[in-house]
Amino acid sequence: MTEDEIDESNQLLVVIVDVNPNQLMYARHPGSFSRVMNSLLTFMNSHLMLHASNRVALVAAHATGCSYLYPDPDQSKEILRQQDGQHEAFYQFETVVRRRLKTVINMDLHSTATESLVSGGLAMALTYINRVYASLGPAEKVNPRLLAISSTGDSAAQYINYMNSFFTAQKLNIPVDCCMLGQDSGLLQQGCDITGGVYLKVEENSEKLLEYLIWMFLPCVPVRKMLGAPPPIRVDYRAACFCHRQLVDIGFVCSVCLSIFCKFNPVCTTCHAVFQPPKIMAPIRKKKESKKVSA
Ligand SMILES: [Zn+2]
Ligand SMILES: [Zn+2]
């Protein structure tokens, strides 16, 4: 691909940010949440600045659900006028996100769950992209991509939801990028690998978060090939068992629905198929093939 062929316009960036205030990183470093949000807003404004046709959407994943931070789901036609000389599009984006963020965090105030519904956020982002596709005119086009930002590690309880989102994204040719803060997530790592996105783990409470975001995630996918990015790390492709949601190396797989179990289950909990318990290996007599071959 030559430089002239690269289409950097019409980029739709959908970000899923984990805003659960119970995340360990935010508890350990007071003030880190606002730093993450400020870096994210600056990063998304930079994306808008790259091309007039670029678009953004922001989904918040929290303990009790997922919500849109931008575009405003209330659809209020209130016109926001900037006051401090800031570009109107940036002002609009920032004001709406900050107002929505307040509402979303207030909903979760009494929750103590440390896990967030990042997989739900991914699914919501995919539906948003689908809606954008449906609203396009015949000559219009859009190049969507996803970015997940979280500091919650592996949540094997959401394994199936994650995998469904990843395979949907892969089918729709939407790359999933991931920026983990302080902790690794094996599942998101698999998702980035499956969909051809970038996976990056940033050290906890990093002051360079904005620099990482701009260097790794601002360039669109065709441009990334020209950058001297660090080589991809080995991906841990373990699956989570459906019974305890724990990552397993070797397990039992239902031959009907391909559910994974860490222990033998006489009845598959997903599709209710019945299995014989494994017998102690007895010598197996070979049956003679009775099939006739028709010439
Ligand atoms: Zn299990
Ligand atoms: Zn089954």
Side-chain angles (χ1 to χ4, degrees):
M1 188 181 272
T2 60
E3 270 178 60
D4 307 328
E5 287 169 35
I6 293 176
D7 179 20
E8 287 180 70
S9 60
N10 293 302
Q11 298 286 330
L12 168 63
L13 173 70
V14 187
V15 180
I16 300 103
V17 62
D18 188 349
V19 297
N20 188 346
N22 296 322
Q23 289 177 83
L24 281 174
M25 189 188 90
Y26 299 140
R28 277 202 286 261
H29 310 278
S32 57
F33 180 67
S34 45
R35 189 182 303 141
V36 169
M37 283 316 290
N38 286 341
S39 305
L40 179 61
L41 290 183
T42 313
F43 164 70
M44 291 178 82
N45 275 341
S46 317
H47 173 80
L48 287 175
M49 200 153 46
L50 274 186
H51 203 280
S53 61
N54 280 2
R55 291 194 243 180
V56 289
L58 183 57
V59 178
H62 40 108
T64 53
C66 310
S67 316
Y68 284 109
L69 295 183
Y70 190 86
D72 196 351
D74 300 337
Q75 295 289 336
S76 55
K77 294 284 172 207
E78 177 198 358
I79 297 162
L80 297 162
R81 292 259 173 254
Q82 54 86 19
Q83 286 130 19
D84 51 2
Q86 198 181 12
H87 189 291
E88 217 146 279
F90 302 165
Y91 178 77
Q92 166 96 20
F93 173 66
E94 248 190 271
T95 318
V96 170
V97 169
R98 288 191 194 280
R99 192 178 54 202
R100 286 282 308 149
L101 194 59
K102 216 192 251 172
T103 326
V104 167
I105 289 181
N106 274 339
M107 287 199 291
D108 259 18
L109 223 49
H110 304 294
S111 150
T112 48
T114 49
E115 209 169 83
S116 305
L117 288 163
V118 179
S119 60
L122 284 168
M124 213 161 157
L126 287 168
T127 57
Y128 178 78
I129 292 171
N130 207 27
R131 239 186 307 150
V132 171
Y133 271 135
S135 68
L136 287 182
E140 288 176 301
K141 59 176 213 155
V142 69
N143 304 310
R145 65 177 197 264
L146 296 177
L147 168 64
I149 298 178
S150 174
S151 72
T152 346
D154 263 327
S155 45
Q158 299 172 44
Y159 175 77
I160 305 167
N161 312 26
Y162 269 121
M163 286 302 145
N164 283 339
S165 304
F166 295 151
F167 288 121
T168 311
Q170 187 196 32
K171 219 169 183 177
L172 297 172
N173 223 345
I174 301 170
V176 177
D177 298 328
C178 175
C179 181
M180 289 301 293
L181 312 172
Q183 267 196 65
D184 263 318
S185 162
L187 292 179
L188 278 161
Q189 208 173 342
Q190 290 181 22
C192 297
D193 197 55
I194 295 168
T195 57
V198 172
Y199 175 88
L200 179 76
K201 184 191 148 199
V202 176
E203 62 265 44
E204 193 167 293
N205 199 26
S206 172
E207 293 189 356
K208 298 176 199 121
L209 178 63
L210 179 59
E211 288 167 44
Y212 281 122
L213 289 175
I214 287 179
W215 275 104
M216 299 300 292
F217 302 109
L218 195 58
C220 58
V221 178
V223 175
R224 285 178 192 173
K225 289 174 194 147
M226 300 176 197
L227 301 175
I233 32 169
R234 227 187 116 255
V235 182
D236 176 10
Y237 261 113
R238 276 184 305 167
C241 69
F242 287 28
C243 36
H244 309 90
R245 316 282 181 195
Q246 269 163 0
L247 297 177
V248 287
D249 289 314
I250 298 172
F252 291 85
V253 179
C254 169
S255 55
V256 179
C257 69
L258 303 180
S259 298
I260 302 151
F261 301 99
C262 59
K263 288 191 191 101
F264 174 75
N265 248 347
V267 179
C268 170
T269 48
T270 314
C271 70
H272 307 294
V274 181
F275 296 102
Q276 297 280 323
K279 287 175 195 150
I280 299 158
M281 289 301 277
I284 306 160
R285 259 186 291 155
K286 268 191 183 173
K287 275 184 193 167
K288 273 191 180 175
E289 289 283 322
S290 57
K291 250 190 254 173
K292 278 181 188 171
V293 184
S294 54

